[in-house]
């Protein structure tokens, strides 16, 4: 099977920001490198801008630094890696080309500035995650004890995303915030979240949330974060299959994708410790699903939802 992989979440930029000596080409410190993308079937890789919790002031400046790493050290240094802004860009990728999508993980860096949000769109950001785990000016994250939803500014952010054909990403968002986004948002995804009924973790989604994402024709990126896959012990590739089976059983065959969280995790799934081991997951998936279904999970579902024609 000629596989094409769309991976909706990675933290390569964060790792490269922490350590400027890391090279995207083949550094052993990275789970995802350009060499691995080329040799292991990548077609689209998302790169998240994640400004860490401890950066309180100058958060926007840090976001800009990560965007600079994206262009200077990744796009400009990797032949055949192309920035993706629209679905047309995906459709126009040549055989040997791989697409790169810039995403935002949490709106901490924009504060309460709609101008900063629009500046990020103009710099190439195509997906806006509203929060990380805690509260910001937009909404509360899943670990904020208060558990509130969107602020007035947060509502404005979702509407602005709609207007500019930008994804609104609900991974990390509080449950009340999730339901508000479902009312307001046009292009909704959960880039890296799993099934709560299988693994009771605050970052995972309830059956009701999954059904609503399916109803909105959103996509859920099953993620390889071990504590989001299993409550105890080591996670294996078969645990990932269980989460996929569950979303499919809820009617989500056209709404499942992958958001690995590679380079955002220290612990990895057995047999899936770097991007090049996606192959192990694909081989096992093919034992349970048809080629067409596997290609939907790996690529088609996220592409179908990417804004544009
Ligand atoms: Zn995350």
């Amino acid at each position: 099977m000629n596989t094409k992989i769309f991976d909706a979440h990675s933290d390569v930029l964060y790792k490269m920001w922490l350590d400027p000596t890391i090279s995207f080409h083949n550094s052993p410190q990275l789970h995802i490198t350009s060499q691995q993308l080329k040799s292991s079937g990548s077609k689209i890789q998302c790169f998240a801008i994640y400004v860490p919790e401890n950066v309180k002031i100058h958060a926007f400046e840090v976001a800009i630094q990560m965007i600079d790493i994206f262009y200077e050290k990744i796009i400009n240094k990797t032949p055949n890696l192309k920035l993706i802004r629209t679905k047309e860009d995906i459709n126009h990728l040549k055989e040997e080309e791989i697409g790169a999508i810039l995403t935002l993980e949490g709106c901490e860096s924009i504060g309460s500035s709609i101008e900063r949000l629009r500046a990020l769109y103009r710099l190439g950001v195509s997906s806006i995650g509203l929060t990380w785990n805690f509260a910001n000016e937009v909404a509360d994250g899943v670990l904020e004890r208060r558990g509130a939803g969107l602020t007035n500014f947060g509502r404005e952010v979702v509407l602005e995303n709609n207007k500019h054909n930008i994804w609104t990403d609900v991974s990390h968002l509080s449950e009340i915030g999730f339901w508000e986004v479902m009312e307001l948002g046009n292009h909704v995804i959960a880039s890296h979240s799993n099934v709560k009924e299988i693994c009771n973790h605050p970052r995972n989604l309830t059956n009701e949330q999954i059904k609503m994402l399916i109803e909105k024709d959103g996509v859920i990126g099953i993620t390889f974060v071990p504590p989001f896959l299993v409550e105890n012990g080591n996670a294996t590739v078969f645990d990932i299959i269980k989460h996929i089976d569950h979303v499919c059983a809820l009617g989500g065959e056209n709404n499942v994708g992958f958001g690995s969280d590679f380079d955002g995790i220290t612990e990895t799934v057995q047999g899936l410790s770097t991007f090049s081991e996606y192959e192990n997951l694909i081989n096992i998936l093919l034992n349970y699903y048809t080629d067409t279904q596997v290609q939907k999970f790996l690529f088609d579902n996220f592409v179908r939802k990417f804004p544009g024609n």
Side-chain angles (χ1 to χ4, degrees), residues 9 105 132 172 192 203 261:
H9 189 78
E105 181 171 30
W132 191 62
H172 287 282
H192 59 307
R203 276 279 285 102
D261 210 0

Side-chain angles (χ1 to χ4, degrees), residues 9-303:
H9 189 78
S10 77
D11 280 310
V12 173
L13 297 178
Y14 175 56
K15 255 196 197 167
M16 291 180 68
W17 176 80
L18 285 177
D19 182 352
T21 67
I22 292 179
S23 150
F24 183 60
H25 180 59
N26 61 1
S27 167
Q29 287 157 275
L30 293 175
H31 295 140
I32 297 178
T33 60
S34 64
Q35 246 179 18
Q36 291 190 58
L37 292 179
K38 280 179 194 165
S39 61
S40 307
S42 168
K43 198 61 189 172
I44 308 277
Q45 180 62 53
C46 293
F47 293 86
I49 302 159
Y50 164 69
V51 178
E53 260 305 288
N54 59 352
V55 176
K56 295 292 182 195
I57 43 171
H58 310 309
F60 190 68
E61 176 69 26
V62 170
I64 296 295
Q65 289 166 0
M66 291 192 195
I67 293 171
D68 193 58
I69 291 169
F70 175 77
Y71 286 105
E72 295 298 320
K73 294 187 165 180
I74 295 184
I75 294 279
N76 290 350
K77 291 268 165 66
T78 312
N80 294 328
L81 187 68
K82 303 288 169 201
L83 174 72
I84 298 294
R85 302 290 304 258
T86 65
K87 198 185 283 181
E88 291 71 29
D89 294 339
I90 298 178
N91 294 336
H92 290 145
L93 281 173
K94 298 192 188 88
E95 185 71 33
E96 67 281 11
E97 289 175 340
I98 296 173
I101 294 178
L102 196 50
T103 67
L104 182 69
E105 181 171 30
C107 285
E108 287 72 13
S109 57
I110 65 168
S112 56
S113 159
I114 206 81
E115 294 82 7
R116 282 181 181 172
L117 178 71
R118 287 197 289 258
L120 292 182
Y121 300 157
R122 292 180 185 116
L123 290 170
V125 174
S126 296
S127 175
I128 302 290
L130 299 185
T131 64
W132 191 62
N133 286 336
F134 305 107
N136 60 29
E137 304 281 345
V138 164
D140 280 8
V142 284
L143 296 186
E144 187 67 39
R145 280 172 57 85
R146 173 177 63 176
L150 302 182
T151 61
N152 290 347
F153 176 64
R155 299 176 72 85
E156 212 183 312
V157 167
V158 176
L159 296 176
E160 200 68 15
N161 290 345
N162 290 349
K163 198 162 106 188
H164 291 262
N165 279 330
I166 297 289
W167 269 339
T168 298
D169 182 357
V170 297
S171 284
H172 287 282
L173 182 61
S174 70
E175 191 165 346
I176 294 179
F178 172 94
W179 290 107
E180 290 173 337
V181 169
M182 293 303 120
E183 274 173 29
L184 288 177
N186 289 350
H187 312 287
V188 291
I189 62 159
S191 63
H192 59 307
S193 293
N194 291 346
V195 176
K196 204 174 240 172
E197 190 166 298
I198 297 178
C199 178
N200 188 12
H201 189 286
R203 276 279 285 102
N204 287 344
L205 302 166
T206 65
N207 286 347
E208 289 65 37
Q209 288 179 301
I210 294 166
K211 283 187 213 156
M212 180 50 85
L213 276 166
I214 294 169
E215 201 179 310
K216 295 273 293 180
D217 199 24
V219 189
I220 301 151
I222 297 298
T223 188
F224 309 160
V225 184
F228 305 175
L229 285 164
V230 288
E231 289 174 16
N232 299 297
N234 295 323
T236 69
V237 174
F238 291 97
D239 293 303
I240 297 173
I241 309 278
K242 285 182 200 164
H243 287 261
I244 294 167
D245 285 348
H246 190 91
V247 178
C248 288
L250 293 173
E253 182 182 319
N254 297 319
N255 307 87
V256 184
F258 294 105
S260 66
D261 210 0
F262 275 139
D263 292 306
I265 46 179
T266 40
E267 211 189 320
T268 54
V269 171
Q270 285 179 3
L272 193 51
S273 60
T274 60
F275 190 91
S276 58
E277 293 189 331
Y278 248 103
E279 194 185 334
N280 296 334
L281 171 64
I282 296 167
N283 288 336
I284 293 171
L285 274 171
L286 287 168
N287 292 333
Y288 294 91
Y289 291 97
T290 64
D291 286 15
T292 312
Q293 287 173 316
V294 172
Q295 199 55 62
K296 279 187 194 179
F297 307 156
L298 282 171
F299 187 73
D300 297 348
N301 289 343
F302 265 122
V303 170

